[in-house]
Amino acid sequence: MNVIAFIIVLAVLVVLVRVSLRFWDRHDLEESPFNRRQFLIWSFKGMFVPLLMWMLVNAGISTRFPPVLASIEAAKSHGGHWVSGWLALIPPAMFVLSSYWAATTLLWLVAAHVIELECDRRDLIASMAVWSALLSPVLALILYLGKFAAVGVVVVIVCAPVLTELLALGNPRKKMIHPMYSRAIQKIQAGKYSVAEREIIRQLTKRDSDFTGWMMLAELYANHFNDLREADQLVHELCRQPDISRDQMSQALHQLADWHLRIGKDPTAARGTLEEICRAFPATHLGDVARQKINNLPMASA
């Protein structure tokens, strides 16, 4: 095995891994697959496992499984020094595998910007077009010299400045995913309330503080499951969400008071719910509206 070739390929491998890790770390967001542990797993699967498989299928472990490459098979058949030729497969295989692995990694990160993160697709396309045009002489030379084996290097050279540009304003942010409740509404209209409940909960996993989803779930318990206690608990849990607005909190508590009055026939519970608005927003329009509604409530339960 050519030691110089091995050292050069090893240096290229280190550079590609370092570049990939740099961009990978910048995408290490909450609930994302881009953490160090996943990087190690991805590296092992993407480079070292294929390298081991390539060397294994060319080792000629038995007569039933001869080497894939004819040159190794010929050396073994004629009693030549096939081991040195077999080891010489490592540098080119490492180069191709590491470059294609790095190219796939960077393309994955670019795709993450488009699919899951806040990114203007037009800016991304424009950036890739500009960098491809600027680097076209270098890319053409690399493809001419390396042909198919150099495609991975070409992709890395294009994607690296594109990702650098995308990250110039800071770490990427998760794209806001808006839950869709149309299927849950259809199930409610069809009287399939348990299915609707599961669908609402499934949508809330996309954005666990979504006001509409919480209120739909609470309404489901109040109007269809006849479980005012659970509806009350859901509304109050919603009101403890850190990003709920004043208007939303007031709206949720007003709705809960209406359920206590209409379904539970309990003006005392309704009054207590409305008084929460008064305590939370004293000397405000929201508090005044709640106080007016309290004054119009009956004094005792029916």
Side-chain angles (χ1 to χ4, degrees):
M1 180 173 59
N2 192 324
V3 177
I4 297 178
F6 181 79
I7 293 175
I8 293 174
V9 170
L10 188 61
V12 172
L13 171 65
V14 170
V15 171
L16 291 174
V17 171
R18 182 69 188 90
V19 170
S20 301
L21 181 59
R22 175 180 179 272
F23 291 119
W24 188 283
D25 283 342
R26 293 291 298 274
H27 291 75
D28 187 4
L29 305 172
E30 184 180 358
E31 298 180 356
S32 77
F34 304 113
N35 53 60
R36 286 294 180 93
R37 179 176 178 274
Q38 291 300 323
F39 183 81
L40 291 175
I41 296 174
W42 168 241
S43 302
F44 183 76
K45 289 181 178 179
M47 288 188 291
F48 299 109
V49 171
L51 179 61
L52 290 174
M53 293 297 297
W54 175 246
M55 298 305 294
L56 183 62
V57 298
N58 282 291
I61 56 178
S62 70
T63 55
R64 295 183 57 187
F65 300 100
V68 173
L69 294 180
S71 58
I72 305 297
E73 172 64 17
K76 291 193 71 172
S77 300
H78 295 86
H81 299 289
W82 67 274
V83 175
S84 61
W86 179 70
L87 293 175
L89 299 176
I90 295 178
M94 283 181 58
F95 176 81
V96 173
L97 288 171
S98 62
S99 61
Y100 272 74
W101 169 86
T104 304
T105 302
L106 298 193
L107 285 174
W108 182 7
L109 297 176
V110 170
H113 276 270
V114 176
I115 299 172
E116 299 179 0
L117 306 175
E118 292 187 354
C119 174
D120 191 323
R121 298 189 181 189
R122 292 173 296 181
D123 291 343
L124 176 60
I125 294 173
S127 178
M128 296 194 73
V130 169
W131 283 109
S132 297
L134 290 175
L135 298 171
S136 57
V138 176
L139 302 179
L141 178 62
I142 293 173
L143 285 174
Y144 175 76
L145 295 175
K147 297 181 174 58
F148 185 75
V151 172
V153 175
V154 168
V155 174
V156 170
I157 292 175
V158 173
C159 288
V162 170
L163 281 170
T164 301
E165 192 172 293
L166 290 174
L167 295 168
L169 297 178
N171 290 337
R173 295 174 293 172
K174 291 289 286 184
K175 184 186 292 183
M176 184 67 72
I177 300 176
H178 297 286
M180 303 292 292
Y181 299 105
S182 56
R183 187 170 182 271
I185 293 173
Q186 292 174 357
K187 297 303 178 182
I188 292 173
Q189 293 173 345
K192 299 179 180 179
Y193 304 125
S194 296
V195 178
E197 176 193 16
R198 291 194 296 270
E199 177 62 20
I200 294 171
I201 293 173
R202 189 177 73 84
Q203 292 298 322
L204 280 171
T205 60
K206 299 178 180 179
R207 187 182 175 193
D208 58 6
S209 62
D210 185 63
F211 178 80
T212 301
W214 279 91
M215 289 305 297
M216 284 186 66
L217 197 60
E219 184 177 3
L220 197 63
Y221 276 95
N223 291 329
H224 301 293
F225 293 152
N226 297 317
D227 191 345
L228 266 178
R229 178 179 295 181
E230 183 65 23
D232 187 291
Q233 182 177 339
L234 286 169
V235 169
H236 282 94
E237 190 171 344
L238 171 62
C239 291
R240 289 192 292 271
Q241 295 288 339
D243 55 350
I244 189 172
S245 69
R246 292 156 57 98
D247 288 339
Q248 287 175 333
M249 181 176 175
S250 175
Q251 178 184 339
L253 291 173
H254 272 285
Q255 184 64 71
L256 178 59
D258 290 341
W259 291 333
H260 279 304
L261 191 62
R262 178 173 54 85
I263 301 173
K265 309 300 182 183
D266 189 351
T268 302
R271 180 176 292 104
T273 301
L274 293 171
E275 286 176 347
E276 292 183 46
I277 302 176
C278 298
R279 290 193 297 270
F281 311 115
T284 65
H285 174 69
L286 298 175
D288 292 342
V289 171
R291 180 59 60 187
Q292 291 175 5
K293 193 168 183 178
I294 290 173
N295 293 335
N296 293 325
L297 289 176
M299 296 303 297
S301 301

